[in-house]
Amino acid sequence: MISIVVADDQMMVRQSFRAVLDAQADMRVAGEAENGLAAIELCARQAPDVVLMDVRMPELDGLEAARRILAAGGATRVLMLTTFDIDEYVYGALRAGASGFLLKDAPLDDLVTAVRVVAAGNALFAPTVTRRLIGQFATRAPLGDAGKRLAELTARETEVLRLVASGLSNVEIAAELVIAEQTAKTHVSRVLTKLGVRDRAQAVVTAYESGLVVPGAG
């Protein structure tokens, strides 16, 4: 059973999401929060698997709330809710450790799928949306030790990271490199371990910050 916290300052949005998620046999909404501070407190009590976090909320915005929740070191994963007019906040959320984001006007079926994807430990990385955002804003972020961490990868692992940053799934990576799907999965797992990141979204951020992938290319 996937436990979920819904954090949004609009009651109608929270209730709509709750109704859809609670209707799923494998999901349970553990609580709702109307602002970032309430979300942090609720997550500390409930330790949900996934938090649906709106970016713009009173008291404390979703971006800072996500940072604090993830910094606590628990197993909770954050799925940001956003619109295109706040793209830069989404990139900040990914750098802070969020597992991805969903557009607030996306179909409700996409919401259910997104929760399952994130709860399973994967990143919600849609090449038509996330890739563009990361590419647009990665150049504004400090490089840090991204390049140094990338040097730990083998040539094959570097190529796998490049493909992950292009939005390819394990199946697509396997087809591109003409290898077995399980081999592709193993390569991706090793890339995440060597980079010291929690999921594919974080790996993509590293790929852009290190200069391996050029923003806007492709």
Side-chain angles (χ1 to χ4, degrees):
M1 184 67 69
I2 302 171
S3 61
I4 306 157
V5 161
V6 179
D8 194 294
D9 61 333
Q10 298 181 48
M11 182 180 295
M12 291 184 65
V13 171
R14 296 199 307 271
Q15 292 179 343
S16 175
F17 286 175
R18 180 170 200 142
V20 172
L21 297 172
D22 274 341
Q24 309 304 311
D26 59 340
M27 298 182 186
R28 175 182 66 86
V29 174
E32 302 174 19
E34 70 278 6
N35 59 60
L37 289 176
I40 293 171
E41 294 171 359
L42 187 55
C43 287
R45 293 198 310 269
Q46 298 288 344
D49 298 307
V50 178
V51 182
L52 291 176
M53 183 80 74
D54 187 21
V55 172
R56 286 181 171 172
M57 292 187 290
E59 302 293 335
L60 186 71
D61 65 44
L63 181 56
E64 181 58 29
R67 286 189 183 124
R68 296 187 191 182
I69 290 170
L70 294 167
T76 297
R77 290 178 171 268
V78 177
L79 178 60
M80 302 300 298
L81 300 171
T82 187
T83 53
F84 278 115
D85 64 328
I86 46 177
D87 287 349
E88 190 165 7
Y89 287 99
V90 174
Y91 176 70
L94 291 175
R95 292 193 72 239
S99 294
F101 73 93
L102 187 70
L103 297 179
K104 293 187 72 174
D105 60 356
L108 292 176
D109 285 347
D110 288 357
L111 171 68
V112 173
T113 298
V115 169
R116 290 195 178 111
V117 167
V118 171
N122 298 311
L124 189 69
F125 181 69
T128 57
V129 181
T130 315
R131 181 187 178 199
R132 191 188 77 182
L133 298 184
I134 294 175
Q136 184 176 355
F137 294 105
T139 52
R140 304 185 187 183
L143 292 179
D145 63 346
K148 185 182 301 184
R149 284 182 288 152
L150 212 67
E152 299 295 320
L153 303 182
T154 64
R156 173 64 89 182
E157 289 164 351
T158 299
E159 182 60 22
V160 167
L161 175 58
R162 194 190 309 274
L163 295 175
V164 168
S166 296
L168 272 62
S169 66
N170 289 345
V171 173
E172 293 167 331
I173 291 173
E176 179 73 18
L177 299 179
V178 195
I179 57 178
E181 181 183 347
Q182 183 58 45
T183 302
K185 183 177 180 180
T186 299
H187 281 316
V188 171
S189 178
R190 287 176 178 167
V191 167
L192 300 185
T193 299
K194 288 186 177 182
L195 294 180
V197 297
R198 62 188 288 166
D199 56 31
R200 296 169 81 101
Q202 295 292 287
V204 171
V205 170
T206 300
Y208 277 104
E209 289 183 336
S210 66
L212 175 67
V213 177
V214 179

